[in-house]
Amino acid sequence: MKILLVASGAREHAIADALSRSPQKPELISVCTTKNPGLKRLSAELHVGSLLDFPWVMDITKKAKPDLAIVGPDDPIGGGLADLLEAAGIPTVAPKKSLARIESSKSFARDLLQKFIPDSVPKYRVFTSYEPKELNKYIAQELQGNYVVKYDALRGGKGVKVSGEHLATIEEGMQYARECIDEGGRVVIEEKLIGVEFSLLSFVSGTQVIDMPAIQDHKRAYAGDTGPNTGGMGTYTDANHSLPFLAASDLARAKEINRLTAQALLKECGEPYRGILYGGFIAVKDGIRVIEYNARFGDPEALNVLPLLSSDLVSICQAITQGTLTEDLVQFEHKATVCKYLTPESYPVSKDQKGAVVSFPPVPKNARLFFGDIAEDEQGILHVGGSRTAGIVGVGTDLAEAEKIAEEFCRQVKGPVRHRADIGTASLIHQRIALMQTIRPR
Ligand code: AMP
Ligand code: GLY
């Protein structure tokens, strides 16, 4: 059993780690943007290059002849790598280009949900040309100045600007909308939702949908949810596979929406979605809404859930590609996890620490260490890159224990790196619960 893993960092290190626990003992052929030390250790071959250089990836694939391919990051999925792999006869865990528009096009995602699950979307409108009067009227009157402007293609998580956070005035919002239209031909303007965000990822094969534990991410760079947005500074899952601020009905509805979305994709695109469907939700006053969909595992979300997977990831991937996915193939331990990302001190503002040396203590039994943007030199010394360095995961019987394990490990890492000490702590979680109580008073 040979598997091709298309990778960019810690998310794929976690995927490789879960694959390596399989009784099928797969041989891994990894293609990655960097010489990731985690993937290097777990792979028979590690090829370094651009994941958008499809002829190069296909060349390696044709030589290696894998039985299965898994594509981790958004760019190659959005660009249609799964179409090429499938055309070459390689069963692939990642949606084809047309289906991946659920992530790569904000307007496709909104229009699809509006058509099939209308009560899951906020008020929105797609503008394909810059009409200042119309735009101003929509933002100021229809949305009463509470709005979000979304660039209509992949932009490394930086295409969304929210009023009151990134956009101080309506003029700034209109200016950004104009930039989006000039660059991408269209822009999505939508209602700003107030509530608490969470994610629900599912394994999907057509209309077969099996969910993972619910997760909360922390996108802001600094403690207390302040500072610029990042790819995600850390995440947690709870032992009951729900989250402390969610009502049972919220989780049930998120699960239902992922199912309905898989069905909608089949109807709209005429072919089955095969891969990971990542629903980004927000619990609001009167239920839940979809913030976005991703067509892949999250980073760091994969770092939380994959260490809990006690069944065989290789069998799950085979079932996804064969259309034989069933509940019994997917089992997660009932434990809590807290992931804290170590990043260079100046991330995401500058890359001043790039190349600096970082060293890790031995990994305790209940912790996991997944390498992100980090390079190992000839002497085996590790150097940080400009992006997120490594995800540290604590696994415990409850959130308090998992948080303590992750935090203690983070504090022992030597080098110019930082992390958010507040992620997974009782005080931050109580803030989320308190916010839900404010927006949903009894
Ligand atoms: P996205 O790339 O669509 O996930 O957007 C990035 C972030 O922008 C989300 O995680 C939210 O924090 C915020 N965001 C996106 N859409 C909305 C919305 N309609 N209301 C409030 N915040 C939003
Ligand atoms: N952690 C957010 C993402 O992977 O998109």
Side-chain angles (χ1 to χ4, degrees):
M1 162 55 75
K2 218 184 231 190
I3 299 181
L4 175 81
L5 179 59
V6 180
S8 65
R11 164 182 47 212
E12 291 80 20
H13 183 186
I15 294 173
D17 179 64
L19 293 172
S20 74
R21 299 197 302 267
S22 167
Q24 301 192 51
K25 300 266 170 275
E27 180 181 326
L28 271 192
I29 312 295
S30 298
V31 291
C32 188
T33 46
T34 59
K35 205 167 154 191
N36 184 290
L39 286 175
K40 196 177 133 203
R41 218 174 37 244
L42 294 169
S43 309
E45 293 174 28
L46 172 64
H47 303 268
V48 178
S50 162
L51 303 182
L52 291 176
D53 185 351
F54 289 175
W56 171 73
V57 177
M58 292 312 295
D59 211 39
I60 292 165
T61 307
K62 281 173 188 155
K63 284 188 190 127
K65 299 193 180 61
D67 302 290
L68 185 88
I70 303 172
V71 189
D74 54 353
D75 286 344
I77 295 177
L81 184 56
D83 303 61
L84 296 181
L85 290 163
E86 292 277 357
I90 318 292
T92 300
V93 179
K96 289 188 183 167
K97 186 172 181 168
S98 142
L99 293 151
R101 285 179 296 164
I102 191 74
E103 171 167 11
S104 66
S105 168
K106 302 278 188 200
S107 62
F108 172 83
R110 282 296 182 228
D111 290 346
L112 183 85
L113 295 179
Q114 181 65 42
K115 185 169 161 188
F116 291 93
I117 327 168
D119 59 354
S120 71
V121 286
K123 272 190 203 166
Y124 78 101
R125 203 170 138 183
V126 182
F127 288 83
T128 51
S129 63
Y130 185 67
E131 306 152 49
K133 260 203 183 140
E134 202 47 34
L135 189 60
N136 189 294
K137 196 168 139 207
Y138 189 66
I139 292 177
Q141 288 175 26
E142 185 71 25
L143 302 182
Q144 299 183 326
N146 296 312
Y147 65 101
V148 179
V149 182
K150 296 187 164 182
Y151 181 67
D152 195 33
L154 296 177
R155 219 182 215 184
K158 292 173 187 78
V160 174
K161 294 198 178 183
V162 181
S163 67
E165 291 175 32
H166 317 96
L167 302 167
T169 61
I170 290 186
E171 288 65 38
E172 273 181 43
M174 292 190 37
Q175 179 56 33
Y176 181 57
R178 184 176 197 164
E179 271 173 44
C180 293
I181 294 167
D182 288 348
E183 244 180 82
R186 63 174 57 147
V187 68
V188 178
I189 310 287
E190 65 184 41
E191 172 192 359
K192 176 180 173 179
L193 298 164
I194 306 294
V196 181
E197 289 180 55
F198 67 99
S199 313
L200 182 73
L201 284 72
S202 306
F203 295 105
V204 175
S205 183
T207 54
Q208 301 155 358
V209 179
I210 315 283
D211 308 310
M212 306 182 207
I215 310 178
Q216 188 169 48
D217 191 12
H218 299 74
K219 288 206 159 79
R220 298 301 195 98
Y222 313 124
D225 293 319
T226 56
N229 272 335
T230 68
M233 294 297 293
T235 26
Y236 64 87
T237 65
D238 206 351
N240 63 1
H241 296 175
S242 184
L243 292 163
F245 54 85
L246 288 182
S249 56
D250 293 321
L251 186 58
R253 180 65 180 148
K255 289 177 177 218
E256 188 182 17
I257 293 174
N258 275 7
R259 262 157 202 76
L260 293 170
T261 300
Q263 289 166 17
L265 282 162
L266 179 62
K267 285 189 195 135
E268 191 71 11
C269 303
E271 56 183 339
Y273 185 102
R274 293 198 163 127
I276 312 301
L277 186 63
Y278 169 140
F281 298 97
I282 185 165
V284 294
K285 196 174 162 199
D286 57 351
I288 71 165
R289 303 283 181 281
V290 173
I291 289 274
E292 64 164 349
Y293 264 108
N294 294 325
R296 53 176 171 80
F297 269 117
D299 188 351
E301 288 82 349
L303 284 57
N304 296 81
V305 292
L306 289 174
L308 295 179
L309 185 70
S310 53
S311 55
D312 177 13
L313 182 59
V314 177
S315 299
I316 296 172
C317 291
Q318 287 168 320
I320 287 174
T321 63
Q322 292 161 3
T324 53
L325 193 58
T326 47
E327 292 271 351
D328 58 308
L329 286 174
V330 182
Q331 277 140 33
F332 290 98
E333 285 181 81
H334 281 276
K335 287 187 175 164
T337 64
V338 172
C339 172
K340 303 197 186 210
Y341 241 124
L342 290 163
T343 74
E345 275 163 2
S346 59
Y347 172 84
V349 179
S350 73
K351 301 193 174 193
D352 294 349
Q353 289 82 34
K354 196 169 173 180
V357 171
V358 63
S359 64
F360 298 87
V363 185
K365 197 169 148 278
N366 295 335
R368 303 283 183 284
L369 165 62
F370 296 115
F371 290 122
D373 190 11
I374 193 165
E376 191 173 3
D377 68 18
E378 309 285 305
Q379 283 80 43
I381 294 170
L382 299 170
H383 301 264
V384 302
S387 196
R388 293 175 294 173
T389 310
I392 308 292
V393 185
V395 180
T397 51
D398 57 21
L399 277 164
E401 189 190 10
E403 194 278 329
K404 190 161 173 267
I405 293 165
E407 183 61 27
E408 278 177 5
F409 190 101
C410 286
R411 284 175 193 265
Q412 291 170 50
V413 176
K414 295 205 166 64
V417 288
R418 64 175 186 87
H419 67 282
R420 269 185 61 174
D422 60 340
I423 291 173
T425 58
S427 90
L428 196 59
I429 290 168
H430 283 134
Q431 281 178 37
R432 310 280 190 246
I433 297 170
L435 176 56
M436 283 316 300
Q437 283 167 348
T438 319
I439 61 174
R440 287 182 188 167
R442 276 167 207 269

